[in-house]
Structure formats: structure tokens, C-alpha cells
Amino acid sequence: MFGFTLDNKTEEIIAYIDEVKNIEGSGGIMCRSIRLINIDRVSNLIWAIENSAKTSENNGFICFLDDEKSIVTRTFIGKIKIIKVKKNTVTLTGQVWCHPKGFHKAWKMKLNNEIAKKNTWKTFEKSELQGWLVYALSISRINEIKKDISLQIDGNEFHNLDSFFCMLGEEIHGPAGYFGRSIYAMYDCLRGDFGVESISELTWHNHQKSKKLFKTKFDEIIQIFEEYNIKIILN
């Protein structure tokens, strides 16, 4: 379930929404239309948006809610305009700060207690893996700092860069663990701000498959690991 709030200090849920279409994208701000399906208080929603437009920039949030209707995560939408109303469905346009595709899917699985083991990300489509990684980042909590850890990864277990980062995060931090969602983000993680002070050794099984798949990015990843004095064993 989703809810709509204006961008103010109250975070009051103005209306509840069963389903939201077109809320996810490639990430970042983009202009798009969003369809809100099965709204419980359509008149409240319309009045709030139209009234806000008279006094402010008319910004709000589409909020993803848990079973108790508490806000789990939010998507910002700015300069909102209502372009269509049909019964209890409303179509809006605005500047949307999109989460990647798969982000809300991961949160739904989390709320349904469906993420208890590693490799849940393997049930996601290729286009949804960045959404999984952003979800993993959003729930990451540093409870302890790990030192001199040894890692083993297998080139047979991932088939693109996104799935490599999904697997790497879980090898380090367990189910839904995060350790970067791009090469540059992984580099930042190795600086010590994401629960790992140092990695002593990395064994990369079936590395030839990864090298063929990643091409020049494979060498880039290896160089970054070596920059942090990680012993690399290629099998």
C-alpha cells in the first residue's frame, strides 16, 4: 500500500493508494506521469494538491507503507499537476526522484519476511538488480567493523556487474548486504565507511568467465582491490 503526503513537516497521510504505476525509473530526477490506482479519499487528494499549488511549489511524496500504514520509504515528486481523474484513479505529472526498478519489490519482500537467506536477488530480473542494490543500501546498518576478512567469490554465480555487486555485498554482510552498486561505489566502500576496515584476501573462482564478461572492467576491479593491498587469488 502507498500513501500521499505533501512536502511539509506533518507527514500527514492525505490519501491511501492501493497501487502506483510508473513510479520507478533509471534513478535520479525525471519528468513523468504517475498513475495512482484505487485511492480511498480522492477528493482529499485533489483538494490538497490544488490548494498547495496556490501557496507553494506544490511538492509531495508517494510513500510506501507497511501493514500498519507507517511510512517505510518515500519517493519525492515536485511541481505536481493533476492531469486526469477517473473514479478512484488519478494521474499526476511532476518531477519525480525515481528509485530504480525493483526497489519497491525488494521492500515488499522484506515486509513479507521473504528475505532471510542469501541469493534472493537471483529471483529479480536483470533490470531490477539496481533496485535491489539501492534497497540493500537503504537498510544497511553498521553493527561491527570487520578487519582482515577473507572472501571467496565464484564467477559462475553472477552474470553481469549488477549481480556481481549483489553477491559481493552478501559475501561481506550476509543476506541483502551492501558493498557498492557500481565500481566507484565499491571503491568508496573499501575506504572503511561501510563496515569493513580491511580485506586481507580475495579468492576469485572461475575468474576467466568474469574476465570475459566484464572485459576491461575486470582489470579495473582487480586494480582497485590491489590498491587496498588485498591479496588476489585467481582460480
Side-chain angles (χ1 to χ4, degrees), residues 59-200:
N59 303 327
F61 293 96
I62 305 296
C63 305
F64 183 66
L65 309 176
D66 62 17
D67 292 339
E68 298 179 353
K69 296 183 178 180
S70 297
I71 297 174
V72 175
T73 186
R74 306 184 301 175
T75 299
F76 176 81
I77 175 170
K79 299 182 179 179
I80 304 168
K81 292 182 180 179
I82 297 173
I83 61 172
K84 185 177 181 181
V85 179
K86 185 177 181 181
K87 294 183 179 180
N88 60 349
T89 295
V90 173
T91 303
L92 309 173
T93 61
Q95 295 180 341
V96 184
W97 192 290
C98 294
H99 295 295
K101 182 181 178 183
F103 177 76
H104 290 105
K105 176 179 177 178
W107 266 113
K108 288 178 183 178
M109 296 181 74
K110 167 69 173 179
L111 295 178
N112 291 329
N113 296 314
E114 296 173 355
I115 304 177
K117 298 179 180 179
K118 292 180 179 179
N119 298 323
T120 301
W121 56 269
K122 289 186 177 181
T123 65
F124 282 52
E125 297 177 5
K126 180 180 178 180
S127 62
E128 298 174 328
L129 291 176
Q130 274 294 315
W132 170 271
L133 288 164
V134 173
Y135 155 77
L137 173 60
S138 71
I139 65 164
S140 63
R141 301 291 182 273
I142 306 303
N143 297 319
E144 63 174 329
I145 303 298
K146 300 176 181 180
K147 299 180 180 180
D148 297 327
I149 61 175
S150 296
L151 299 177
Q152 294 199 34
I153 59 176
D154 190 337
N156 287 333
E157 296 298 316
F158 49 87
H159 308 289
N160 52 52
L161 270 176
D162 286 345
S163 57
F164 165 77
F165 292 116
C166 292
M167 185 218 58
L168 181 64
E170 292 198 327
E171 285 302 308
I172 293 173
H173 291 303
Y178 176 83
F179 205 73
R181 65 187 188 99
S182 67
I183 291 177
Y184 299 110
M186 182 192 73
Y187 188 88
D188 286 339
C189 289
L190 285 166
R191 293 177 180 175
D193 293 333
F194 284 83
V196 176
E197 182 177 309
S198 58
I199 299 171
S200 60

